[in-house]
Amino acid sequence: GGREPTNLLSIYQLATGQTKEQIVSECGSMRWSEFKPKLAEAVIASLEPLQSRYNELLADPAYLDGILKEGAEKAAAVADQTVTDVKDAMGFVV
């Protein structure tokens, strides 16, 4: 389709950080069947830092537990204040 090449080139541009001109120069003469594996490699490479960080976080359950506990404490404080505000607005004695 007409949008597929534009979408694929945009994804490649985001994955590589190259300009449109650089991409046209590098890939302009390629057939789509040649470009698509190159696109897949670029996307995989661009996701490597995220995968690495994800694996680091999974390897440290104590750190994750600490983040979850901190988030739960913050959420509980907000929820407690909301309940107090609602009770006050409804005229309940708090």
Side-chain angles (χ1 to χ4, degrees):
R3 292 184 49 101
E4 181 184 13
T6 302
N7 291 340
L8 294 178
L9 289 171
S10 295
I11 292 169
Y12 188 75
Q13 184 178 5
L14 289 170
T16 63
Q18 293 180 317
T19 65
K20 288 180 183 180
E21 293 76 20
Q22 290 171 316
I23 294 168
V24 168
S25 172
E26 177 187 350
C27 306
S29 63
M30 288 183 178
R31 300 178 61 88
W32 286 112
S33 60
E34 296 171 293
F35 176 72
K36 286 181 180 180
K38 188 171 188 68
L39 171 63
E41 290 171 13
V43 169
I44 290 167
S46 73
L47 293 175
E48 246 177 82
L50 292 173
Q51 285 184 310
S52 176
R53 182 66 177 138
Y54 174 78
N55 289 328
E56 285 174 24
L57 291 172
L58 281 184
D60 190 354
Y63 176 73
L64 290 177
D65 289 343
I67 289 174
L68 291 172
K69 182 179 180 204
E70 182 181 323
E73 289 168 356
K74 288 179 182 179
V78 170
D80 288 346
Q81 185 59 53
T82 301
V83 169
T84 300
D85 292 347
V86 169
K87 287 180 177 178
D88 186 46
M90 295 178 68
F92 290 120
V93 177
V94 274

